[in-house]
Amino acid sequence: MVNTKMNRFFTIESFSKNIRVLLTRSSLLLGQTINAKLKELKNFEITSCQNPSPDMINDEAYDIVIHLIGFDPPSFAETLYHTSILHQLLDLCLKHKAKFVLVTSTENTALKEVAISLVRQFHKLFAVNFEIVEVGEKDSLDDAASEVLKKFVHKSHQSKLKKPEHEKIIPTKPKLPLFFLKPLILILSLLFLIAFFVWSSNYTLLCSLDNLTLGNWTQAKKCATITNYFPKNKELSKLIIDLSEVGESGMKIWSGKSEDMGNFVGLLSYAQERIAETIINVEDENVRQELSKWRTMVKRLKLVVNDMPTVMGLGKSTDYLILLQDVQEIRPTGGFIDGLGLLTISGGKIDSVQLLTSYTADGLLKGTVNTPEDLKLALGESSWYLRDSNWNPDFPQSAAQAAWFVQKQLGKQVQVVVGLNTRTMAKILAVTGPVSVDNLSQKVDARNLLDLGLTNASADLTKRSIYLGVFQAILAKIQTLSETQLGNLGSILLEELDNRQLLITGVGNTSLPNIRQAGWDGTLAPAGCPGVSACVADTLNVVSSNTGISKANAKVDQKMTVDVGLNDDTAQVSLSVQMTNKAVVNAWPLGNYKNYLRFYLPASAKVSQVVANNKPLSETEYTITSTSNFLIVGILVNVAANSTLDVGLNFTRGLPSLRRFVYLLDIPNQPGILENPLSVAIRYPTNWLSQAHQATQVVASGLFRYNASINKPFRVSFDFLKNE
């Protein structure tokens, strides 16, 4: 008689229309019978294999996994195979929420006991749905196969199956004596259980950390609770639970379900202390880095919480201006201002929305506005418009200018301005899911947003772009997100703020000082040296501005190289930007890349040379202007399709005369640009004593070297002691 052990009954209606089934050991007679019965039913896609490969397990998504064990003679090979593949199949089911059906012989063997124990333990840890079907030697193939199908196929569908002639399952007789194999199997089983214990400890720890990063607070707590049972990770698991509670509290405030700021601040303070206590005892460097990120994030959240009433519109509504910026037409704060969103936020919820293109708004401008000299040089425009208001890389200044245009053109006073670029929009779509936009036949998602923006670009610049429609659909979807999705979204927005890809600032009489202090408002200011008397801090900022009225940045790669040579009294700095235009032909919307390139250097810098493709430029081919904070070198360049242009400069600046000093190098990233490789070399006399405050890729006598990507701010500092 077939003996079944049921965990949970599923019917065919529980799955999607096309039900994908993975059937292992398909060459067995029972496997062939199950395969034949499934083929008689509709809506089943069957993958049959003798031994599933790692690629199949890693890449394919299935609704049902049927795994047959114990129908071969006991052998070392079979035991090793099953104990190594079983947990991979269970991982597959966990990843894709698939149902697992274990089919085994009724004969009691060590392999069977280990397999059943592993499945049940995995279910307890991760709630994977499973069924166990035990098949006896005298059971017919038809009955056994039907019993397997009953675990996921409704009986009304079962009745449609053909009834073949009864055939007995005849296991192959063992060729080796069992008294020799049993001790070996028991030893392997014990080793496997030990390995599984270690794997479970590491798995649940990674599970909790990954979900914490994603903002899945509930799941992070579940995994951390399981991790708590392993003594080695007990302290760390408790910290992850504390951080999850911080996330849950913050999410309730953000979603308007709570205004209890006091509790949120208390949780932040406690979490900050717990991180400091725990990180000391963590040995794994990757975990330490992850906790360091959370320490920084908790510190910033604790700082900005005082600005939350204004940001969330608590007590009094807040009027927002959202600048939708196209990264494929790069501008200083993230991209060309393609559209505007005017929102009113009250109690954490959106009260009203008005969307329009920047060209529509500019059509309402009366009179002319004086254009900044460098913008006039780059664009040739005699009047300034809202669409070009983000010309200053200092976002608070650009935001104030955009808000001024909105007030003049639309009669709308705003308190908060947000710079939202289309790369960040794509990340938001990864949480909300695909959206539908008028006049588009396909849905827009995280993967195709930029491609659709490019293919639907119009030479008629007054036409509505797809980005406004996408933004409108995103706003509608945000109102219906689950708590888990809201957590995911909050995590992404915090990361984008921290990486200067998403910018927010108050304008007019509205001040957000704590957000400014956290570095989330996009202020461009010289780096400071906290608490150090003898210090040199160099801020080097490269700003690209596409002024060719094209989407050339979709095909432009940019690479930055910085070389700093220090001697007794002077720093000699070489800074270059290599731009490669991968467009094939000079045709709109791609084609030539016309870029007004600006180098923001220390105010005391003395420029000695500006070059393009190693050719020195005359002083008439670039401009130099000064502000209280920076020396700005501007040059208008053109990178033709299928070509590369390297633009750079050299400058010097003085160093302290003291023997010991700190050198700090700060390189802010430009919002909207992600793939921007950076190479930094710091050279100094070999007889100096030195210490780098950040880990380096290359350390040699008289040299520190870093290789990074400027998708977030880059900052390094060093202690130097000159030998006499």
Side-chain angles (χ1 to χ4, degrees), residues 276-306:
E277 294 170 357
T278 305
I279 199 170
I280 298 173
N281 301 319
V282 174
E283 297 177 359
D284 189 301
E285 183 59 29
N286 292 328
V287 176
R288 285 177 63 87
Q289 290 180 8
E290 195 66 31
L291 291 182
S292 295
K293 292 178 185 177
W294 272 96
R295 179 166 56 185
T296 301
M297 186 60 67
V298 167
K299 182 180 178 181
R300 288 178 179 168
L301 283 173
K302 189 179 176 183
L303 176 67
V304 305
V305 73
N306 291 328

Side-chain angles (χ1 to χ4, degrees), residues 107-127:
E107 183 180 353
N108 290 323
T109 63
L111 171 61
K112 171 186 169 183
E113 292 175 3
V114 170
I116 292 177
S117 176
L118 175 59
V119 172
R120 287 175 174 165
Q121 184 66 24
F122 201 92
H123 167 72
K124 289 179 182 178
L125 292 173
F126 306 112

Side-chain angles (χ1 to χ4, degrees), residues 7-45:
N7 172 56
R8 184 178 175 188
F9 185 76
F10 273 71
T11 67
I12 194 171
E13 289 81 7
S14 303
F15 300 101
S16 56
K17 268 190 175 182
N18 293 318
I19 305 162
R20 302 200 62 190
V21 180
L22 172 62
L23 173 63
T24 71
R25 317 309 302 278
S26 57
S27 64
L28 297 174
L29 290 175
L30 178 57
Q32 294 175 26
T33 307
I34 294 172
N35 191 27
K37 282 182 172 289
L38 284 172
K39 287 182 177 179
E40 294 176 27
L41 297 172
K42 295 180 179 179
N43 302 326
F44 279 88
E45 296 178 11

Side-chain angles (χ1 to χ4, degrees), residues 401-629:
Q401 188 63 54
W404 182 88
F405 274 112
V406 166
Q407 197 277 327
K408 293 295 182 183
Q409 296 171 186
L410 303 173
K412 181 79 173 179
Q413 194 83 34
V414 299
Q415 289 84 50
V416 177
V417 179
V418 173
L420 174 64
N421 68 60
T422 47
R423 290 193 193 279
T424 300
M425 283 179 65
K427 291 186 177 182
I428 294 172
L429 280 170
V431 176
T432 65
V435 297
S436 298
V437 178
D438 291 344
N439 301 321
L440 281 184
S441 58
Q442 66 183 112
K443 288 192 173 184
V444 183
D445 59 30
R447 293 170 298 180
N448 65 18
L449 172 65
L450 296 182
D451 288 339
L452 289 175
L454 183 64
T455 55
N456 286 275
S458 173
D460 182 357
L461 300 177
T462 62
K463 285 189 176 181
R464 180 186 176 97
S465 77
I466 72 162
Y467 297 125
L468 277 174
V470 172
F471 182 63
Q472 186 175 26
I474 285 175
L475 291 178
K477 274 213 166 184
I478 286 176
Q479 307 303 307
T480 62
L481 294 182
S482 66
E483 288 192 358
T484 298
Q485 289 174 313
L486 282 173
N488 297 158
L489 180 58
S491 180
I492 285 174
L493 295 181
L494 287 175
E495 183 180 34
E496 293 295 276
L497 284 166
D498 217 34
N499 292 344
R500 277 175 47 94
Q501 295 295 336
L502 179 66
L503 307 172
I504 178 171
T505 186
V507 293
N509 296 325
T510 301
S511 176
L512 300 174
N514 301 294
I515 284 178
R516 182 186 182 94
Q517 190 175 342
W520 291 353
D521 72 339
T523 295
L524 179 59
C529 295
V532 179
S533 56
C535 174
V536 172
D538 282 346
T539 295
L540 308 179
N541 191 27
V542 177
V543 180
S544 292
S545 300
N546 183 339
T547 58
I549 316 178
S550 72
K551 308 298 179 183
N553 292 96
K555 292 294 183 180
V556 171
D557 288 340
Q558 188 166 297
K559 179 181 179 180
M560 190 186 313
T561 303
V562 179
D563 193 294
V564 179
L566 306 175
N567 55 43
D568 285 338
D569 56 6
T570 307
Q572 298 179 333
V573 183
S574 173
L575 171 61
S576 67
V577 178
Q578 183 184 82
M579 295 159 285
T580 300
N581 188 347
K582 297 185 295 184
V584 178
V585 295
N586 292 325
W588 196 90
L590 301 175
N592 292 337
Y593 178 38
K594 184 181 177 184
N595 181 13
Y596 188 74
L597 192 63
R598 283 174 285 179
F599 298 88
Y600 282 70
L601 311 176
S604 61
K606 296 180 180 179
V607 177
S608 58
Q609 190 179 52
V610 180
V611 298
N613 282 347
N614 297 318
K615 177 185 176 182
L617 301 180
S618 67
E619 293 183 0
T620 60
E621 294 179 279
Y622 60 89
T623 63
I624 296 182
T625 56
S626 296
T627 68
S628 58
N629 291 328

